[in-house]
């Protein structure tokens, strides 16, 4: 009986089919088909796709795109720019330092995917394909010439040449443009007003990002950000600070605050998991320790201590108490390794959840009010500025959640600074040595227990610091969110998923992972009851196709894709995207 695996046979068959297409038409014709298909794709978005305005975005207007049609325009424009770069046009050569063909194929498939997703959504929501107009059918086939043209292009993978030396002011201008594009993409994603538009946005971003990764553009951007690291950090901070000013809906600012809280806690967990290699499955408890500490001393009438201290004291107390808990929990448990440590940390998280539920004056001392939690936590006042009140900044109104967004942005910067400094210090190198091989590290003179305890305590204190802000943002603290797995973030499973999905050991990885894991359920309502299932599937796919995470440092890329690095053209001094900050 033939035991040849099916997957390799499928790959071989697909490769042979692609090989038959490559070179099936002359190269100039293939390039012309690609560029022409991109133009047709853009033009098709200016036609009417349906005859009824019942579909969101009103796609009945000819001459002006609406809703999801703008995503087709975006996909077509990106495809056209990449196709023009193949003609060696000055100013576009930088788009594909490692070759255009793979990027063009992905962009063509992306344009096809977003267009047919829109047509399928129209048919599904309105009750059949009869709701499509002739313009819709034209749009469905407009990208096919580009799809065939990209498949007929010969493979052109090559090592990326080092870019020419450019003046510092030009590099800083490019960094500013990158920050502006990042702000625009995030703002568009958070402003999407209905589920189909957000799903289309995810499809467009996923295909486009993968295409530019394959073209070597991200590697070049990473090297640029590394060279201009201080300026890149400042540009990223400025772009993040401008986000609340782009929002007229306070709800979106609230989403932004919660993303920053979630991302900051994930960064603290990244010290434990990403740098030190310790699997902590009860980490969200430290966020709860910080939140409860702030709630008890910030003037809530339901606090048994009946005291109100300034916010900076509450923040220090929250971080300090979390640090103490980190030491108390870590001291007896960090001599364990692997699965045993993971089991113990799950136990700590569940013990914390049970204890705060029972400190209600009936089952135990009245401290946390049990399941009712501690409500009516007053807003923070800093230098006489009440963050709970709206303020005017010129013509802009800064609402409550925008105020907390700015505060949380400062906290996030503090955590990023601590993470970066610690990771590049002597103790950071010791953490990485323990992650790689604890036995070898101890043989070289590293005190494994003390080093791991330091990581555990520092990660706990950063989570506690974020928890002090979280308590004031939500007005109350209840025990329900501080579990291993729940219906909504933050919980330990989501925090760990954010670190693994984004990229362990980097700064921007957990920030990106946390943003995706918080924003996707927020926008896709139908996923709220199936979040763990959806994220489980996503993590399985990630482990199969990109085990190092979306944003990976150089070491992890070499671990998983050592044979592929030269083909991608990565230069030896290219490190990570983590310099992009927020």
């Amino acid at each position: 009986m033939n035991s040849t695996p099916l997957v390799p046979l499928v790959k071989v068959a697909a490769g042979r089919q692609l090989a038959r297409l490559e070179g099936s038409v002359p190269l100039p014709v293939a390039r012309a088909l690609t560029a022409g298909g991109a133009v047709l794709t853009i033009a098709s978005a200016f036609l009417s796709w349906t005859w009824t305005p019942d579909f969101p975005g009103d796609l009945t207007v000819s001459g002006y795109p609406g809703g999801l049609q703008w995503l087709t325009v975006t996909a077509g424009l990106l495809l056209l720019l990449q196709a023009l770069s193949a003609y060696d046009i000055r100013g576009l050569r930088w788009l594909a330092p490692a070759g255009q063909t793979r990027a063009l194929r992905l962009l063509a498939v992306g344009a096809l995917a977003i267009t047919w997703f829109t047509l399928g959504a129209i048919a599904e929501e309105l009750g059949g394909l009869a709701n499509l107009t002739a313009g819709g059918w034209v749009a469905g086939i407009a990208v096919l010439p580009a799809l065939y043209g990209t498949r007929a292009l010969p493979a052109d993978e090559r090592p990326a040449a080092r870019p020419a030396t450019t003046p510092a002011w030009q590099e800083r201008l490019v960094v500013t443009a990158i920050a502006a594009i990042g702000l625009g993409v995030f703002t568009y994603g958070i402003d999407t007003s209905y589920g189909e538009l957000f799903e289309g946005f995810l499809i467009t971003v996923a295909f486009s990002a993968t295409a530019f990764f394959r073209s070597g553009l991200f590697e070049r951007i990473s090297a640029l950000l590394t060279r201009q690291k201080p300026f890149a950090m400042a540009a990223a901070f400025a772009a993040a600070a401008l986000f609340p000013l782009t929002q007229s809906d306070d709800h979106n600012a609230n989403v932004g605050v919660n993303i920053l809280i979630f991302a900051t806690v994930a960064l603290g967990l990244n010290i434990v998991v990403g740098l030190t290699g310790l699997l902590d499955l009860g980490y969200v408890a430290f966020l709860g320790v910080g939140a409860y500490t702030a709630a008890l001393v910030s003037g809530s009438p339901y606090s048994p201590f009946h005291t109100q201290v300034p916010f900076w004291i509450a923040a220090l107390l929250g971080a300090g108490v979390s640090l103490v808990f980190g030491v108390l929990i870590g001291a007896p448990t960090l001599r364990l390794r692997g699965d045993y440590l993971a089991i113990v940390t799950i136990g700590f998280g569940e013990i914390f959840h049970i204890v705060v539920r029972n400190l209600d004056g009936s089952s135990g001392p009245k401290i946390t009010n049990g399941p009712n939690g501690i409500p009516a936590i007053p807003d923070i006042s800093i230098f006489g500025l009440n963050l709970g009140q709206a303020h005017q900044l010129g013509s802009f109104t800064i609402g409550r959640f925008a105020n907390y967004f700015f505060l949380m942005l400062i906290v996030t910067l503090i955590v990023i600074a601590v993470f970066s400094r610690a990771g590049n210090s002597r103790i950071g190198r010791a953490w990485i040595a323990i992650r790689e091989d604890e036995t070898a590290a101890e043989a070289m003179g590293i005190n494994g227990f003390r080093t791991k305890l330091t990581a555990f305590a520092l990660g706990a204190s950063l989570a506690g610091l974020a928890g002090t802000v979280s308590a004031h943002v939500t007005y109350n603290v209840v025990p329900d969110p501080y579990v291993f797995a729940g219906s909504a973030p933050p919980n330990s499973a989501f925090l760990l998923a954010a670190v693994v999905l984004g990229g362990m050991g980097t700064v921007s990885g957990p920030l990106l992972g946390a943003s995706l894991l918080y924003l996707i359920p927020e926008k896709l309502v139908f996923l709220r009851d199936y979040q763990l299932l959806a994220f489980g599937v996503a993590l399985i796919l990630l482990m199969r196709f990109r085990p190092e995470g979306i944003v990976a440092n150089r070491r992890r890329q070499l671990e998983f894709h050592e044979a592929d690095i030269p083909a991608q053209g990565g230069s030896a001094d290219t490190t990570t995207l983590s310099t992009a900050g927020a």
Side-chain angles (χ1 to χ4, degrees):
M1 182 176 182
N2 190 356
S3 59
T4 304
L6 178 60
V7 173
L9 287 177
V10 173
K11 290 183 177 179
V12 169
R16 289 175 177 172
Q17 180 65 27
L18 184 57
R20 284 195 293 268
L21 286 175
E22 288 181 1
S24 59
V25 297
L27 179 60
V29 176
R31 287 178 174 174
L33 284 173
T34 303
V39 173
L40 290 175
T41 299
I42 297 169
S44 69
F46 288 82
L47 301 175
S48 169
W49 288 9
T50 182
W51 54 267
T52 172
D54 292 342
F55 187 79
D58 193 4
L59 309 186
T60 63
V61 180
S62 295
Y64 185 81
L68 283 159
Q69 288 175 324
W70 280 113
L71 296 176
T72 296
V73 171
T74 302
L77 281 173
L78 293 176
L79 177 60
L80 180 61
L81 287 174
Q82 192 71 55
L84 293 177
S85 74
Y87 287 97
D88 206 24
I89 296 176
R90 184 176 179 84
L92 295 178
R93 301 170 186 165
W94 55 272
L95 280 175
Q100 291 96 354
T101 299
R102 290 194 298 176
L104 284 169
R105 289 170 179 168
L106 281 166
L107 288 172
V109 173
L112 180 71
I114 183 57
T115 302
W116 275 99
F117 167 79
T118 305
L119 300 179
I122 293 172
E124 191 276 332
E125 185 162 328
L126 299 183
L129 295 174
N131 293 281
L132 298 177
T133 62
W137 292 108
V138 169
I141 63 175
V143 75
L144 294 182
L147 195 65
Y148 180 80
T150 58
R151 295 297 173 181
L153 289 171
D156 64 346
E157 298 174 37
R158 60 181 182 268
R162 287 182 177 273
T165 303
T166 55
W169 69 268
Q170 291 185 6
E171 290 190 341
R172 291 176 180 175
L173 190 63
V174 173
V175 170
T176 303
I178 292 170
I181 292 172
L183 174 62
V185 171
F186 180 78
T187 301
Y188 184 90
I190 206 171
D191 281 341
T192 51
S193 54
Y194 50 93
E196 293 87 351
L197 185 59
F198 185 74
E199 292 168 23
F201 167 77
L202 290 180
I203 292 172
T204 306
V205 169
F207 276 100
S208 302
T210 306
F212 288 123
F213 172 79
R214 294 294 186 182
S215 72
L217 179 62
F218 279 178
E219 292 279 352
R220 182 161 289 182
I221 291 175
S222 175
L224 170 63
L225 296 177
T226 301
R227 291 195 301 272
Q228 296 289 337
K229 185 174 181 178
F231 184 82
M233 295 290 289
F237 174 77
L242 288 174
F243 166 72
L245 304 182
T246 66
Q247 302 301 308
S248 57
D249 185 357
D250 214 29
H251 172 73
N252 289 342
N254 182 28
V255 173
V257 174
N258 285 295
I259 287 176
L260 283 181
I261 293 173
F262 192 13
T264 302
V265 180
L267 266 176
L269 179 61
N270 200 21
I271 293 177
V272 180
V273 176
L275 294 183
T276 317
L278 304 175
L279 185 55
D280 187 348
L281 299 182
Y283 185 76
V284 75
F286 297 120
L287 174 67
V289 170
Y292 269 101
T293 301
L296 290 171
V297 300
S298 294
S300 169
Y302 296 91
S303 169
F305 299 120
H306 303 293
T307 183
Q308 184 171 5
V309 300
F311 169 71
W312 66 271
I313 295 180
L316 290 177
L317 284 173
V321 173
S322 296
L323 186 148
V324 171
F325 270 84
V327 172
L328 291 177
I329 299 303
T333 61
L334 287 178
R335 299 187 190 278
L336 301 173
R337 297 188 186 183
D339 299 339
Y340 300 101
L341 177 62
I343 293 170
V344 170
T345 54
I346 286 180
F348 164 63
E350 293 305 311
I351 288 171
F352 173 79
H353 176 72
I354 293 170
V355 168
V356 295
R357 286 183 65 90
N358 284 278
L359 295 180
D360 56 358
S362 175
S363 302
K366 187 174 183 180
I367 299 178
T368 65
N369 291 325
N372 295 323
I374 303 176
I377 301 172
D379 284 304
I380 296 172
S381 181
I382 301 178
F383 303 117
L385 183 70
N386 190 332
L387 300 188
Q389 298 176 356
H391 302 88
Q392 288 295 130
L393 182 63
S395 59
F396 296 98
T397 300
I398 310 299
R400 177 180 185 269
F401 292 115
N403 291 330
Y404 279 105
F405 182 90
F406 290 126
L407 174 62
M408 198 59 221
L409 187 60
I410 295 173
V411 174
T412 304
L413 285 177
I414 293 172
V415 173
I416 290 174
V418 171
F419 180 91
S420 301
R421 292 290 184 178
N424 294 324
S425 67
R426 181 178 180 181
I427 187 67
R429 292 192 293 272
W431 289 338
I432 294 173
I434 288 176
R435 182 191 69 194
E436 297 300 320
D437 192 325
E438 184 173 348
T439 303
E442 290 179 345
M444 296 300 293
I446 295 175
N447 188 320
F449 171 74
R450 186 174 61 190
T451 304
K452 291 190 293 184
L453 186 61
T454 303
F456 211 73
L458 180 59
S461 63
L462 296 180
L465 179 62
T468 59
V469 181
S470 174
H472 292 277
V473 171
T474 58
Y475 281 128
N476 59 46
V477 180
V478 293
D480 294 340
Y482 308 112
V483 293
F484 169 69
S487 59
N491 53 63
S492 294
F494 276 60
L495 291 170
L496 183 62
V499 174
V500 175
L501 174 67
M504 293 191 290
T506 65
V507 173
S508 57
L511 297 177
L512 178 60
S515 299
L516 290 174
L517 291 183
Y518 193 92
L519 192 58
I520 290 176
E522 175 71 22
K523 291 295 182 178
L524 304 181
V525 180
F526 70 90
L527 270 182
R528 291 183 180 175
D529 294 332
Y530 306 99
Q531 289 185 54
L532 292 177
L533 174 63
F535 293 144
V537 173
L539 288 175
I540 291 172
L541 294 175
L542 184 75
M543 291 300 100
R544 171 60 183 85
F545 296 105
R546 192 167 174 79
E548 69 273 27
I550 298 175
V551 180
N553 61 29
R554 186 71 176 178
R555 182 189 299 271
R556 292 187 65 81
Q557 271 190 310
L558 289 171
E559 288 176 359
F560 292 105
H561 304 287
E562 186 174 2
D564 299 337
I565 296 297
Q568 292 175 4
S571 57
D573 59 348
T574 301
T575 53
T576 70
L577 289 174
S578 62
T579 53

